[in-house]
Amino acid sequence: MTTTSSPRSSVTADELDDLRADVRGFLRDEIDGGRIVPDVDSWMTGFDPGFSSRLGRRGWVGMTVPTEYGGHGRTPVERFVVTEELLAHGAPVAAHWIADRQMAPGILANGTDEQKRRYLPGIAAGTIFFAIGMSEPDAGSDLAAVRTRAVDNGDTWTISGTKVWTTGAHLAHAMVLLARTDGVPDDRHKGLSQLVVDLPHPDIEIRPIRSIDGQAHFNEVIFHDAVVDKSALLGERGRGWAQVMGELAFERSGPERYLSTMPLLRAWAGQLRAHGATPEQRTTLGTLTAVAWALRGMSLQVADELSAGGKPDVLAAMVKDLGSTFEGDLVNAIRSSSGTIARRDGGTPIERLLAQSVLHTPAFTLRGGTNEILRGIVARGLGIR
Ligand SMILES: Cc1cc2nc3c(=O)[nH]c(=O)nc-3n(C[C@H](O)[C@H](O)[C@H](O)COP(=O)(O)OP(=O)(O)OC[C@H]3O[C@@H](n4cnc5c(N)ncnc54)[C@H](O)[C@@H]3O)c2cc1C
């Protein structure tokens, strides 16, 4: 683990290979020891605080956070190597995922020194978890229509309104909330601010929403005039829209946008290796692998541009659109090419992975902004009217 306080400017290919080998060895031990079970969509529903803190102890959470805030001062490409191995192995990373992926960069970019010292060391230890409070019943794709309001009382804010689809709010230690602090909803992008709200809170009601597979990983969150300290404001009052847009490139472009169902592909490849493959199956496996490799290149390009201070919004939207479509295509291709029957209970590991994949696929193109909306961003970015 490096002790420098700023990201190292360059990492050699050998160092990256060593890091990858370390992560693979660790995951093999975890799986062989029965401590974790590989699953699809593990970054959204694989909530395992024990695993998150074991990763934290290895220095594999908060990797790019500076050491002065408890992080590890590693480069985005090192973080990329670790996260792609975790996802490809279907490791249960959901507990710390949101905090590590977008709240740590958001707090680093916009937070006060007090907020950085309060939240970042716990994020990097894999022990502080966050939820994203953006979507509302009438403000999903049209996010600027949020009605949740935070009223300034001088020393405190009083928050009222409802958020929905809030992943992990029932388990999170805090939520970053997008709320209207000034003006009226017609002001659209003006008058919105972000607040860091600690959870649980006596006046914040968190109701589970059950998804098609029976799990309850997201929620409706109702603020009943919840009072929080003035210091909860994240960044500049009224700049919430710009801050949220900065976060979305992190949210949309990472390897989780094309690797959610990779554990299924790996399981199928293992089965073909053990039992032999028909020419058609070889072609399917090769095609899926080639597409995943191309998406990986695009995702790495976004990571490079983000770390150079760029704003790769269009490429991030393309990664999310193409990647999340691929995640579902992969499931259909394996289902028809392998002849596997999806079984949720009592089946073989690949039958269970297929069942979970089928049930999770409808969410892939919705979460993080629907693909229709992303295509609009791409079209506008390319100057198409
Ligand atoms: C698994 C999952 C986890 C989630 N986790 C979170 C979370 O933690 N925090 C959070 O804040 N949100 C979360 N979300 C919410 C997610 O961001 C929203 O579902 C998404 O932004 C779409 O909003 P909506 O559901 O209100 O759909 P709507 O905006 O009502 O859209 C409905 C349909 O209309 C289409 N549509 C809407 N407007 C346009 C347009 N202008 N042009 C073309 N088509 C359009 C959409 O593409 C979509 O197909 C999660 C969603 C899912 C599925």
Side-chain angles (χ1 to χ4, degrees):
M1 193 187 312
T2 178
T3 53
T4 52
S5 68
S6 58
R8 289 184 291 164
S9 54
S10 66
V11 188
T12 66
D14 284 348
E15 285 175 308
L16 291 178
D17 286 347
D18 289 347
L19 175 61
R20 190 181 297 283
D22 277 354
V23 181
R24 284 186 181 172
F26 166 75
L27 289 171
R28 219 174 5 254
D29 283 351
E30 289 279 316
I31 293 168
D32 292 349
R35 288 182 290 283
I36 64 169
V37 176
D39 211 347
V40 295
D41 213 15
S42 62
W43 63 274
M44 177 67 53
T45 56
F47 192 94
D48 183 341
F51 182 73
S52 292
S53 76
R54 291 202 288 286
L55 278 186
R57 284 200 290 277
R58 297 225 159 208
W60 292 337
V61 187
M63 289 180 74
T64 59
V65 172
T67 52
E68 64 186 294
Y69 296 118
H72 305 286
R74 309 286 288 258
T75 59
V77 72
E78 289 171 293
R79 179 178 180 274
F80 191 99
V81 165
V82 171
T83 53
E84 73 175 345
E85 287 301 325
L86 292 168
L87 295 167
H89 284 82
V93 290
H96 67 271
W97 195 259
I98 289 169
D100 179 57
R101 174 184 70 188
Q102 76 199 81
M103 296 321 174
I107 291 171
L108 263 175
N110 304 309
T112 59
D113 198 53
E114 198 263 328
Q115 286 169 329
K116 291 176 190 171
R117 295 196 183 285
R118 179 164 181 183
Y119 296 108
L120 294 177
I123 292 177
T127 53
I128 289 192
F129 312 136
F130 268 75
I132 308 170
M134 291 192 202
S135 306
E136 297 187 4
D138 295 315
S141 300
D142 188 14
L143 186 60
V146 296
R147 289 172 192 278
T148 295
R149 180 165 277 279
V151 175
D152 184 351
N153 308 312
D155 290 342
T156 57
W157 300 97
T158 299
I159 307 170
S160 54
T162 300
K163 293 288 171 182
V164 75
W165 316 125
T166 320
T167 304
H170 55 309
L171 302 159
H173 301 96
M175 167 197 279
V176 173
L177 176 77
L178 181 66
R180 183 158 291 286
T181 46
D182 302 279
V184 293
D186 289 350
D187 279 356
R188 305 291 295 171
H189 304 136
K190 290 188 204 152
L192 295 170
S193 303
Q194 285 187 301
L195 292 100
V196 189
V197 177
D198 291 335
L199 296 173
H201 183 293
D203 298 314
I204 301 177
E205 188 183 348
I206 299 175
R207 295 184 185 160
I209 301 174
R210 223 158 267 289
S211 54
I212 195 171
D213 65 353
Q215 295 183 14
H217 57 82
F218 50 24
N219 304 273
E220 184 181 33
V221 181
I222 305 158
F223 296 81
H224 298 285
D225 291 332
V227 176
V228 298
D229 194 79
K230 199 61 184 287
S231 62
L233 181 71
L234 177 64
E236 214 178 296
R237 180 169 174 166
R239 270 200 80 244
W241 183 258
Q243 291 176 200
V244 160
M245 290 302 117
E247 256 172 47
L248 283 175
F250 287 97
E251 184 177 344
R252 289 177 173 160
S253 61
E256 72 271 32
R257 298 302 179 183
Y258 58 92
L259 290 178
S260 302
T261 50
M262 187 54 61
L264 175 66
L265 183 66
R266 284 167 56 89
W268 187 48
Q271 197 177 68
L272 297 181
R273 196 167 44 237
H275 303 295
T278 65
E280 181 270 335
Q281 287 172 328
R282 280 174 191 275
T283 305
T284 303
L285 182 62
T287 305
L288 293 172
T289 308
V291 176
W293 192 252
L295 288 164
R296 179 179 189 269
M298 290 171 68
S299 180
L300 268 169
Q301 170 81 21
V302 177
D304 279 351
E305 290 186 27
L306 283 173
S307 57
K311 292 184 106 199
D313 301 351
V314 172
L315 190 55
M318 287 174 75
V319 172
K320 188 350 188 119
D321 178 18
L322 298 171
S324 58
T325 304
F326 165 75
E327 292 176 326
D329 290 348
L330 180 158
V331 179
N332 289 333
I334 293 178
R335 195 180 196 181
S336 58
S337 186
S338 69
T340 303
I341 306 291
R343 283 196 181 84
R344 287 187 63 195
D345 303 307
T348 62
I350 192 168
E351 289 170 341
R352 192 184 58 78
L353 287 170
L354 181 61
Q356 284 294 83
S357 300
V358 169
L359 293 173
H360 284 226
T361 293
F364 297 162
T365 57
L366 296 174
R367 60 192 184 191
T370 71
N371 284 22
E372 291 76 15
I373 295 299
L374 297 170
R375 286 171 202 160
I377 293 172
V378 173
R380 278 193 299 281
L382 297 177
I384 300 166
R385 304 264 158 227

